[in-house]
Amino acid sequence: MQYDVKSYCCQLEFSTKCFHKMANHVIVNSTIISDHLPQTYQRVSENENILVAQYEHTRSVLDMKSNRIKDIVESFDKSQKSVGIYVPAGSSQKINELINDEGYYKFCDYQLSESNDNRYDRTQNECSYIGIAHDSNFPHVKFCSNLNYIAVIVYYYDGDIIRWKLKFQYWNCPIIFEMHRVTYSLAENIVLSCDPQTIDVYTTSKWYLFRYDVKLPEIPKKLYH
């Protein structure tokens, strides 16, 4: 699978083999243990391209440029399910995770361990509910987050179109905003990006890149907790 013009991976029996082409044309080879070919890839900065792999109940983050692997300490019951990892601040020192807990999404926050820089520790005693429920009609989930808000997009493929639903919520505000769209696509791919003032949704067809620019509404201060 090709994640961008310089990064691609293939799945072996219980591991993923990756290749990343550096600016000096050196190819960085890396291998990470995984149950299946990872779907979560993020170009965090000019110096970090990360891939998130899962093996049984262990999630690991591979930096494809440095060939470093950092494990995420198990932080929730095995009955709960991780549905995504996102790096919010332009550096993999800190990561966020979205989990499905009996039909409702929870938000977990991690940072690199002070005692072991190959491991992430959770910053909270408990992951926090965000007020957005899982929708079984939309099996695919992605999310992004920053200091202002969290956004969750759910979607499914219907022939040559993608049906998707975006929900987002400001931190400490009870209002959940929602929008629905149907997009023509043969690529079966969707990308979500959280900027301070906008949420960008990207889908692709054979010849075109579609961008949906969602402007964030202003919320009266009295509605914040």
Side-chain angles (χ1 to χ4, degrees), residues 1 12 16 32 63 66 96 107 115 119 122 182 191 209:
M1 180 174 181
L12 305 178
T16 300
I32 188 169
D63 184 341
S66 67
N96 298 150
F107 175 84
S115 59
R119 186 187 75 201
R122 200 172 67 188
V182 176
V191 175
L209 171 67

Side-chain angles (χ1 to χ4, degrees), residues 64-216:
M64 296 177 69
K65 287 189 174 182
S66 67
N67 195 17
R68 286 189 60 192
I69 296 175
K70 306 166 189 175
D71 293 328
I72 301 171
V73 172
E74 188 65 53
S75 59
F76 49 83
D77 295 337
K78 290 179 173 56
S79 61
Q80 300 169 330
K81 180 182 178 182
S82 173
V83 295
I85 299 285
Y86 184 76
V87 180
S91 169
S92 62
Q93 295 286 324
K94 189 179 184 69
I95 63 173
N96 298 150
E97 182 172 31
L98 192 70
I99 65 172
N100 182 352
D101 182 9
E102 297 183 348
Y104 287 89
Y105 292 124
K106 280 184 173 181
F107 175 84
C108 308
D109 185 70
Y110 305 86
Q111 64 183 13
L112 279 179
S113 171
E114 294 181 358
S115 59
N116 182 353
D117 62 3
N118 291 322
R119 186 187 75 201
Y120 288 101
D121 292 333
R122 200 172 67 188
T123 63
Q124 315 145 291
N125 290 328
E126 296 289 340
C127 298
S128 56
Y129 282 105
I130 61 172
I132 298 176
H134 171 70
D135 188 339
S136 59
N137 294 318
F138 293 79
H140 304 287
V141 184
K142 290 186 178 181
F143 86 105
C144 58
S145 54
N146 57 33
L147 293 176
N148 297 326
Y149 63 88
I150 182 169
V152 178
I153 192 166
V154 295
Y155 57 101
Y156 72 92
Y157 309 115
D158 184 5
D160 57 359
I161 62 174
I162 295 180
R163 299 183 184 274
W164 56 270
K165 180 164 55 176
L166 173 69
K167 293 185 178 183
F168 61 95
Q169 180 182 31
Y170 289 100
W171 300 117
N172 301 319
C173 179
I175 299 175
I176 297 174
F177 298 90
E178 182 174 330
M179 66 175 292
H180 303 247
R181 287 292 185 273
V182 176
T183 304
Y184 174 76
S185 176
L186 295 176
E188 296 190 353
N189 191 27
I190 195 165
V191 175
L192 181 66
S193 175
C194 283
D195 292 324
Q197 302 301 324
T198 63
I199 301 172
D200 292 322
V201 179
Y202 299 90
T203 64
T204 58
S205 67
K206 185 175 181 180
W207 304 111
Y208 298 101
L209 171 67
F210 300 100
R211 177 192 177 204
Y212 296 85
D213 183 3
V214 182
K215 301 294 184 183
L216 298 178

